């Protein structure tokens, strides 16, 4: 989920849970309180870990030969992500 959507969902859940608290309605407070907590955790994770750009992601090469990379227009000297022992 995008950070903007998570922020809007957090605000929405928070306002509905506050409204449920004002009306003393547990059927509004409990689900929206859970949603507020989960959105807060998700926002914390987005801030803590950040978002990587597409250019920073590693290139994966699967298999060899068969002309798969050459047929797809990729260079044949791509570096695998990790060596598996």
């Amino acid at each position: 989920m995008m950070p903007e959507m998570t922020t809007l969902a957090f605000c929405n859940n928070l306002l509905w849970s506050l409204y449920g608290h004002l009306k003393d309605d547990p059927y509004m407070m409990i689900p929206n309180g859970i949603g507020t907590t989960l959105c807060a955790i998700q926002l914390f994770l987005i801030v803590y870990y950040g978002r990587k750009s597409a250019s920073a992601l590693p290139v994966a090469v699967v298999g060899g030969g068969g002309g798969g990379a050459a047929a797809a227009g990729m260079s044949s000297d791509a570096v695998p992500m990790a060596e598996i022992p």
Side-chain angles (χ1 to χ4, degrees), residues 37-65:
T37 305
L38 292 175
C39 285
I41 291 170
Q42 187 172 1
L43 283 172
F44 170 76
L45 291 174
I46 289 171
V47 169
Y48 185 76
Y49 288 109
R51 297 178 59 109
K52 293 185 179 181
S53 64
S55 63
L57 296 176
V59 176
V61 175
V62 179

Side-chain angles (χ1 to χ4, degrees), residues 1-13 35 38-40 42-43 46 51:
M1 199 177 229
M2 298 294 217
E4 298 85 15
M5 291 296 292
T6 305
T7 304
L8 290 175
F10 174 78
C11 293
N12 183 37
N13 283 314
L38 292 175
C39 285
Q42 187 172 1
L43 283 172
I46 289 171
R51 297 178 59 109

